[in-house]
Amino acid sequence: MQKEDNKKESPKQAANNIFYRLKNGEILLPGDPEAYRLREESYLTKKLLLQMNNATDPKEINDLLSKITGSQIDESVAVFTPLYINYGKHTKIGKNVFINFNCVFLDLGGITIEDGVLIAPKVSLLTEGHSISPSERHGLVPKSIHIKKNAWIGANATILQGVTIGENSVVAAGSVVSKDVPDNVVVGGTPAKIIKKI
């Protein structure tokens, strides 16, 4: 099933599309005329997630995840369900990626997971936040997350919006990462700080 925002649009229509705007970092203010589409698309994704999270065959899981993300998931990718995603079309997953149980991806701002990444149980990748200002609190502030090759995200870690995790780096279990992580380091804590170089 192809979602509405993936239909052929003129450049002007695409620029006004709420999903395009979010992926490009535009702050979505309360009262945006297209805000209703967020829930509509989320419920369409949820239907596919229900099927995927109840599947036991790896190929079926990857096929359903391909539908959710709108891109081909390589057969080398292993996902231990359940996995929870609010949209899906802004998540890109490379080859030889492993995603363990009970992960949460809020991907309206865009999530890129490169080849060889390991994601432990209960990891949250959160590309969306809210304004500190109470009058704009119900809006969305999107910023992309990028996890580079061979990174390892430990159990119950949270990666916040706008963060890049460097190549080969490790995020210790239970960490909250609010700033970019360079290549070849181990970070840990809340907020996460460099513990050592690899």
Side-chain angles (χ1 to χ4, degrees), residues 42 45 49 52 65 68-69 73 79 82-93 97-113 117-120 122-128 145 147 153 157 159:
S42 181
T45 298
L49 281 175
M52 185 184 81
L65 188 55
I68 290 166
T69 62
I73 300 296
V79 178
L83 171 65
Y84 303 100
I85 303 175
N86 66 334
Y87 178 53
K89 295 293 193 243
H90 291 170
T91 295
K92 300 303 172 206
I93 300 172
V97 170
F98 178 69
I99 301 170
N100 217 321
F101 300 103
N102 285 310
C103 290
V104 174
F105 294 0
L106 300 186
D107 76 328
L108 287 170
I111 294 172
T112 300
I113 301 169
V117 169
L118 301 175
I119 299 180
K122 297 184 179 179
V123 166
S124 295
L125 306 180
L126 310 177
T127 70
E128 304 146 35
I145 290 172
I147 304 176
I153 313 300
I159 312 299

